Short mmCIF file of all heavy atoms in Angstrom, two decimals:
data_model
loop_
_atom_site.label_atom_id
_atom_site.label_comp_id
_atom_site.label_asym_id
_atom_site.label_seq_id
_atom_site.Cartn_x
_atom_site.Cartn_y
_atom_site.Cartn_z
N GLY A 536 91.85 16.82 -33.34
CA GLY A 536 91.56 18.02 -32.57
C GLY A 536 92.59 18.34 -31.53
O GLY A 536 93.42 17.50 -31.15
N ARG A 537 92.51 19.54 -30.96
CA ARG A 537 93.49 20.03 -30.02
C ARG A 537 93.04 19.92 -28.58
O ARG A 537 93.80 20.29 -27.68
CB ARG A 537 93.84 21.50 -30.34
CG ARG A 537 94.37 21.72 -31.73
CD ARG A 537 94.66 23.21 -31.94
NE ARG A 537 95.19 23.48 -33.28
CZ ARG A 537 95.52 24.67 -33.72
NH1 ARG A 537 95.39 25.73 -32.92
NH2 ARG A 537 95.98 24.81 -34.94
N THR A 538 91.81 19.47 -28.37
CA THR A 538 91.26 19.49 -27.03
C THR A 538 91.09 18.07 -26.45
O THR A 538 90.23 17.85 -25.61
CB THR A 538 89.93 20.21 -27.02
OG1 THR A 538 89.04 19.53 -27.91
CG2 THR A 538 90.10 21.65 -27.42
N PHE A 539 91.91 17.16 -26.89
CA PHE A 539 91.75 15.75 -26.44
C PHE A 539 91.78 15.67 -24.93
O PHE A 539 91.05 14.86 -24.34
CB PHE A 539 92.89 14.92 -27.06
CG PHE A 539 92.87 13.51 -26.58
CD1 PHE A 539 91.88 12.62 -27.02
CD2 PHE A 539 93.86 13.02 -25.77
CE1 PHE A 539 91.87 11.29 -26.62
CE2 PHE A 539 93.85 11.69 -25.32
CZ PHE A 539 92.86 10.83 -25.78
N SER A 540 92.62 16.44 -24.29
CA SER A 540 92.75 16.36 -22.83
C SER A 540 91.51 16.80 -22.10
O SER A 540 91.43 16.63 -20.87
CB SER A 540 93.97 17.18 -22.36
OG SER A 540 93.77 18.53 -22.72
N SER A 541 90.57 17.41 -22.78
CA SER A 541 89.32 17.84 -22.14
C SER A 541 88.24 16.79 -22.19
O SER A 541 87.13 16.98 -21.71
CB SER A 541 88.81 19.11 -22.78
OG SER A 541 88.40 18.90 -24.09
N TYR A 542 88.56 15.62 -22.79
CA TYR A 542 87.58 14.54 -22.95
C TYR A 542 87.89 13.37 -22.03
O TYR A 542 89.04 12.86 -22.03
CB TYR A 542 87.51 14.02 -24.38
CG TYR A 542 86.97 15.02 -25.40
CD1 TYR A 542 87.78 15.92 -26.03
CD2 TYR A 542 85.61 15.03 -25.66
CE1 TYR A 542 87.29 16.81 -26.93
CE2 TYR A 542 85.08 15.93 -26.60
CZ TYR A 542 85.94 16.82 -27.22
OH TYR A 542 85.40 17.72 -28.11
N ALA A 543 86.87 12.94 -21.32
CA ALA A 543 86.96 11.62 -20.68
C ALA A 543 86.78 10.57 -21.78
O ALA A 543 86.01 10.80 -22.72
CB ALA A 543 85.90 11.47 -19.61
N MET A 544 87.46 9.43 -21.66
CA MET A 544 87.42 8.44 -22.69
C MET A 544 86.95 7.11 -22.13
O MET A 544 87.24 6.74 -21.00
CB MET A 544 88.81 8.27 -23.29
CG MET A 544 89.39 9.54 -23.91
SD MET A 544 88.44 10.17 -25.29
CE MET A 544 88.70 8.84 -26.47
N GLY A 545 86.28 6.38 -22.98
CA GLY A 545 85.81 5.05 -22.60
C GLY A 545 86.04 4.03 -23.70
O GLY A 545 86.15 4.39 -24.87
N TRP A 546 86.09 2.79 -23.28
CA TRP A 546 86.14 1.66 -24.22
C TRP A 546 84.91 0.80 -23.98
O TRP A 546 84.56 0.47 -22.85
CB TRP A 546 87.39 0.80 -23.99
CG TRP A 546 88.66 1.41 -24.52
CD1 TRP A 546 89.58 2.11 -23.79
CD2 TRP A 546 89.13 1.35 -25.87
NE1 TRP A 546 90.63 2.49 -24.62
CE2 TRP A 546 90.39 2.03 -25.90
CE3 TRP A 546 88.66 0.79 -27.05
CZ2 TRP A 546 91.11 2.16 -27.06
CZ3 TRP A 546 89.41 0.91 -28.18
CH2 TRP A 546 90.63 1.59 -28.21
N PHE A 547 84.30 0.39 -25.05
CA PHE A 547 83.14 -0.51 -25.04
C PHE A 547 83.36 -1.62 -26.02
O PHE A 547 84.23 -1.52 -26.89
CB PHE A 547 81.86 0.26 -25.40
CG PHE A 547 81.44 1.26 -24.36
CD1 PHE A 547 82.07 2.48 -24.24
CD2 PHE A 547 80.41 0.97 -23.47
CE1 PHE A 547 81.73 3.41 -23.26
CE2 PHE A 547 80.02 1.89 -22.50
CZ PHE A 547 80.66 3.11 -22.42
N ARG A 548 82.56 -2.66 -25.95
CA ARG A 548 82.67 -3.75 -26.89
C ARG A 548 81.28 -4.31 -27.19
O ARG A 548 80.38 -4.21 -26.34
CB ARG A 548 83.61 -4.84 -26.41
CG ARG A 548 83.12 -5.59 -25.19
CD ARG A 548 84.21 -6.52 -24.67
NE ARG A 548 83.80 -7.31 -23.53
CZ ARG A 548 84.59 -8.10 -22.82
NH1 ARG A 548 85.88 -8.25 -23.16
NH2 ARG A 548 84.10 -8.79 -21.79
N GLN A 549 81.17 -4.92 -28.36
CA GLN A 549 79.92 -5.56 -28.72
C GLN A 549 80.21 -6.83 -29.47
O GLN A 549 80.86 -6.83 -30.52
CB GLN A 549 79.07 -4.64 -29.58
CG GLN A 549 77.66 -5.18 -29.84
CD GLN A 549 76.71 -4.14 -30.40
OE1 GLN A 549 77.12 -3.10 -30.91
NE2 GLN A 549 75.42 -4.38 -30.24
N ALA A 550 79.74 -7.92 -28.91
CA ALA A 550 79.89 -9.24 -29.53
C ALA A 550 78.67 -9.51 -30.39
O ALA A 550 77.58 -8.94 -30.14
CB ALA A 550 80.06 -10.32 -28.48
N PRO A 551 78.79 -10.40 -31.39
CA PRO A 551 77.64 -10.72 -32.24
C PRO A 551 76.45 -11.17 -31.43
O PRO A 551 76.56 -12.04 -30.59
CB PRO A 551 78.18 -11.81 -33.14
CG PRO A 551 79.64 -11.58 -33.17
CD PRO A 551 79.99 -11.09 -31.81
N GLY A 552 75.30 -10.59 -31.70
CA GLY A 552 74.07 -10.98 -31.03
C GLY A 552 73.93 -10.50 -29.61
O GLY A 552 72.97 -10.87 -28.93
N LYS A 553 74.88 -9.69 -29.15
CA LYS A 553 74.83 -9.19 -27.78
C LYS A 553 74.77 -7.67 -27.77
O LYS A 553 75.12 -7.02 -28.74
CB LYS A 553 76.04 -9.67 -26.99
CG LYS A 553 76.09 -11.20 -26.81
CD LYS A 553 77.23 -11.59 -25.89
CE LYS A 553 77.21 -13.08 -25.63
NZ LYS A 553 78.32 -13.47 -24.69
N GLU A 554 74.36 -7.15 -26.62
CA GLU A 554 74.35 -5.71 -26.49
C GLU A 554 75.75 -5.18 -26.23
O GLU A 554 76.65 -5.87 -25.74
CB GLU A 554 73.42 -5.31 -25.33
CG GLU A 554 71.97 -5.64 -25.56
CD GLU A 554 71.06 -5.12 -24.46
OE1 GLU A 554 71.61 -4.63 -23.44
OE2 GLU A 554 69.83 -5.18 -24.63
N ARG A 555 75.92 -3.90 -26.53
CA ARG A 555 77.18 -3.24 -26.25
C ARG A 555 77.43 -3.23 -24.75
O ARG A 555 76.48 -2.99 -23.97
CB ARG A 555 77.14 -1.81 -26.78
CG ARG A 555 78.38 -1.01 -26.58
CD ARG A 555 78.20 0.39 -27.13
NE ARG A 555 77.17 1.10 -26.42
CZ ARG A 555 76.57 2.19 -26.83
NH1 ARG A 555 76.92 2.71 -28.00
NH2 ARG A 555 75.64 2.77 -26.10
N GLU A 556 78.66 -3.49 -24.34
CA GLU A 556 78.97 -3.47 -22.94
C GLU A 556 80.19 -2.61 -22.65
O GLU A 556 81.10 -2.52 -23.47
CB GLU A 556 79.16 -4.88 -22.37
CG GLU A 556 80.37 -5.59 -22.91
CD GLU A 556 80.66 -6.90 -22.14
OE1 GLU A 556 80.15 -7.07 -21.00
OE2 GLU A 556 81.39 -7.74 -22.69
N PHE A 557 80.21 -2.05 -21.47
CA PHE A 557 81.30 -1.21 -21.00
C PHE A 557 82.51 -2.06 -20.71
O PHE A 557 82.39 -3.16 -20.18
CB PHE A 557 80.85 -0.45 -19.75
CG PHE A 557 81.98 0.22 -19.02
CD1 PHE A 557 82.58 1.33 -19.53
CD2 PHE A 557 82.40 -0.27 -17.79
CE1 PHE A 557 83.60 1.98 -18.86
CE2 PHE A 557 83.42 0.35 -17.09
CZ PHE A 557 84.05 1.48 -17.62
N VAL A 558 83.70 -1.54 -21.06
CA VAL A 558 84.94 -2.23 -20.75
C VAL A 558 85.76 -1.43 -19.73
O VAL A 558 86.12 -1.93 -18.68
CB VAL A 558 85.77 -2.46 -22.03
CG1 VAL A 558 87.10 -3.07 -21.69
CG2 VAL A 558 84.99 -3.31 -23.02
N ALA A 559 86.09 -0.19 -20.09
CA ALA A 559 86.94 0.61 -19.20
C ALA A 559 86.80 2.08 -19.56
O ALA A 559 86.40 2.43 -20.67
CB ALA A 559 88.40 0.19 -19.32
N ALA A 560 87.16 2.93 -18.59
CA ALA A 560 87.09 4.38 -18.80
C ALA A 560 88.24 5.06 -18.09
O ALA A 560 88.81 4.49 -17.14
CB ALA A 560 85.77 4.95 -18.31
N ILE A 561 88.55 6.25 -18.56
CA ILE A 561 89.65 7.01 -17.96
C ILE A 561 89.26 8.48 -17.98
O ILE A 561 88.67 8.97 -18.91
CB ILE A 561 90.98 6.74 -18.74
CG1 ILE A 561 92.16 7.36 -17.99
CG2 ILE A 561 90.87 7.18 -20.20
CD1 ILE A 561 93.50 6.84 -18.56
N THR A 562 89.63 9.17 -16.90
CA THR A 562 89.31 10.59 -16.81
C THR A 562 90.22 11.42 -17.67
O THR A 562 91.18 10.92 -18.26
CB THR A 562 89.40 11.04 -15.34
OG1 THR A 562 90.70 10.69 -14.82
CG2 THR A 562 88.30 10.38 -14.50
N ARG A 563 89.91 12.72 -17.75
CA ARG A 563 90.64 13.59 -18.65
C ARG A 563 92.13 13.63 -18.39
O ARG A 563 92.94 13.64 -19.30
CB ARG A 563 90.02 14.99 -18.61
CG ARG A 563 88.63 15.05 -19.15
CD ARG A 563 88.00 16.43 -18.96
NE ARG A 563 87.81 16.75 -17.56
CZ ARG A 563 87.39 17.92 -17.12
NH1 ARG A 563 87.16 18.90 -17.97
NH2 ARG A 563 87.23 18.14 -15.83
N SER A 564 92.46 13.66 -17.13
CA SER A 564 93.87 13.75 -16.75
C SER A 564 94.58 12.39 -16.84
O SER A 564 95.81 12.33 -16.90
CB SER A 564 94.00 14.29 -15.33
OG SER A 564 93.44 13.33 -14.40
N GLY A 565 93.79 11.34 -16.80
CA GLY A 565 94.38 10.00 -16.78
C GLY A 565 94.64 9.48 -15.39
O GLY A 565 95.10 8.35 -15.22
N VAL A 566 94.33 10.28 -14.38
CA VAL A 566 94.61 9.89 -13.00
C VAL A 566 93.70 8.74 -12.55
O VAL A 566 94.13 7.82 -11.84
CB VAL A 566 94.50 11.07 -12.06
CG1 VAL A 566 94.57 10.64 -10.60
CG2 VAL A 566 95.60 12.10 -12.36
N ASN A 567 92.45 8.84 -12.93
CA ASN A 567 91.46 7.85 -12.48
C ASN A 567 91.02 6.96 -13.63
O ASN A 567 90.73 7.46 -14.74
CB ASN A 567 90.25 8.54 -11.88
CG ASN A 567 90.60 9.27 -10.60
OD1 ASN A 567 91.27 8.72 -9.72
ND2 ASN A 567 90.21 10.52 -10.50
N THR A 568 90.91 5.68 -13.34
CA THR A 568 90.40 4.71 -14.31
C THR A 568 89.34 3.84 -13.65
O THR A 568 89.23 3.78 -12.44
CB THR A 568 91.52 3.81 -14.86
OG1 THR A 568 92.05 3.03 -13.79
CG2 THR A 568 92.60 4.62 -15.54
N TYR A 569 88.56 3.20 -14.49
CA TYR A 569 87.41 2.44 -14.02
C TYR A 569 87.21 1.30 -15.02
O TYR A 569 87.19 1.54 -16.22
CB TYR A 569 86.19 3.35 -13.92
CG TYR A 569 84.87 2.70 -13.67
CD1 TYR A 569 84.71 1.83 -12.60
CD2 TYR A 569 83.78 2.99 -14.46
CE1 TYR A 569 83.45 1.24 -12.36
CE2 TYR A 569 82.53 2.44 -14.22
CZ TYR A 569 82.37 1.55 -13.15
OH TYR A 569 81.15 0.99 -12.93
N GLY A 570 87.10 0.08 -14.54
CA GLY A 570 86.94 -1.05 -15.43
C GLY A 570 85.80 -1.96 -15.04
O GLY A 570 85.44 -2.03 -13.86
N ALA A 571 85.28 -2.66 -16.01
CA ALA A 571 84.24 -3.65 -15.75
C ALA A 571 84.81 -4.81 -15.00
O ALA A 571 86.00 -5.16 -15.12
CB ALA A 571 83.65 -4.13 -17.08
N ASP A 572 84.00 -5.45 -14.18
CA ASP A 572 84.45 -6.58 -13.41
C ASP A 572 85.02 -7.70 -14.30
O ASP A 572 85.97 -8.37 -13.90
CB ASP A 572 83.32 -7.12 -12.55
CG ASP A 572 82.94 -6.20 -11.41
OD1 ASP A 572 83.77 -5.33 -11.07
OD2 ASP A 572 81.83 -6.35 -10.88
N SER A 573 84.47 -7.83 -15.49
CA SER A 573 84.87 -8.95 -16.37
C SER A 573 86.28 -8.79 -16.87
O SER A 573 86.88 -9.75 -17.37
CB SER A 573 83.89 -9.05 -17.53
OG SER A 573 83.87 -7.83 -18.27
N VAL A 574 86.85 -7.56 -16.79
CA VAL A 574 88.20 -7.35 -17.33
C VAL A 574 89.21 -6.91 -16.28
O VAL A 574 90.38 -6.72 -16.60
CB VAL A 574 88.17 -6.34 -18.49
CG1 VAL A 574 87.20 -6.79 -19.56
CG2 VAL A 574 87.82 -4.93 -18.01
N LYS A 575 88.77 -6.72 -15.06
CA LYS A 575 89.66 -6.27 -14.03
C LYS A 575 90.80 -7.27 -13.80
O LYS A 575 90.59 -8.46 -13.79
CB LYS A 575 88.89 -6.03 -12.72
CG LYS A 575 88.13 -4.75 -12.69
CD LYS A 575 87.42 -4.52 -11.39
CE LYS A 575 86.67 -3.21 -11.39
NZ LYS A 575 85.88 -2.98 -10.16
N GLY A 576 91.99 -6.72 -13.71
CA GLY A 576 93.17 -7.58 -13.54
C GLY A 576 93.74 -8.06 -14.86
O GLY A 576 94.84 -8.61 -14.90
N ARG A 577 93.01 -7.84 -15.95
CA ARG A 577 93.49 -8.28 -17.27
C ARG A 577 93.66 -7.11 -18.24
O ARG A 577 94.61 -7.11 -19.04
CB ARG A 577 92.51 -9.29 -17.89
CG ARG A 577 92.31 -10.54 -17.06
CD ARG A 577 91.50 -11.59 -17.81
NE ARG A 577 90.17 -11.14 -18.16
CZ ARG A 577 89.70 -11.08 -19.43
NH1 ARG A 577 90.47 -11.49 -20.45
NH2 ARG A 577 88.47 -10.65 -19.66
N PHE A 578 92.76 -6.15 -18.21
CA PHE A 578 92.79 -5.01 -19.13
C PHE A 578 93.19 -3.75 -18.37
O PHE A 578 92.79 -3.53 -17.25
CB PHE A 578 91.41 -4.77 -19.74
CG PHE A 578 90.97 -5.84 -20.72
CD1 PHE A 578 91.62 -7.05 -20.87
CD2 PHE A 578 89.83 -5.60 -21.48
CE1 PHE A 578 91.16 -8.01 -21.74
CE2 PHE A 578 89.36 -6.54 -22.39
CZ PHE A 578 90.03 -7.76 -22.51
N THR A 579 93.94 -2.89 -19.05
CA THR A 579 94.36 -1.61 -18.47
C THR A 579 94.13 -0.50 -19.48
O THR A 579 94.58 -0.61 -20.62
CB THR A 579 95.85 -1.63 -18.08
OG1 THR A 579 96.10 -2.70 -17.16
CG2 THR A 579 96.26 -0.33 -17.45
N VAL A 580 93.46 0.54 -19.05
CA VAL A 580 93.25 1.71 -19.90
C VAL A 580 94.22 2.78 -19.49
O VAL A 580 94.53 2.99 -18.31
CB VAL A 580 91.80 2.21 -19.80
CG1 VAL A 580 91.43 2.58 -18.38
CG2 VAL A 580 91.55 3.36 -20.75
N SER A 581 94.78 3.48 -20.50
CA SER A 581 95.71 4.57 -20.26
C SER A 581 95.55 5.57 -21.39
O SER A 581 94.89 5.32 -22.38
CB SER A 581 97.14 4.05 -20.17
OG SER A 581 97.54 3.46 -21.42
#
C-alpha cells in the first residue's frame, strides 16, 4: 500500500504456551518509540 506512513507500527511476540506480549512500537513519523522493559537497551525499532 501507499499509506504506510499513516500507520503506527508495533512488534509483538508469542512463545510456545505463553500469551502474546508487546515488544516495541513506533509512531507514524518514526520520531517516537516505545519498548517493553524486557527488551530495553537490547532491541531497537525503526
Side-chain angles (χ1 to χ4, degrees):
R537 301 180 180 179
T538 59
F539 177 71
S540 61
S541 67
Y542 291 89
M544 301 297 294
W546 285 98
F547 291 77
R548 66 187 182 186
Q549 187 166 19
K553 295 187 176 181
E554 294 186 351
R555 182 181 62 196
E556 67 170 341
F557 168 72
V558 176
I561 188 166
T562 54
R563 294 175 294 175
S564 65
V566 170
N567 294 311
T568 63
Y569 171 51
D572 289 342
S573 60
V574 305
K575 281 182 180 177
R577 300 189 299 123
F578 291 11
T579 302
V580 59
S581 63

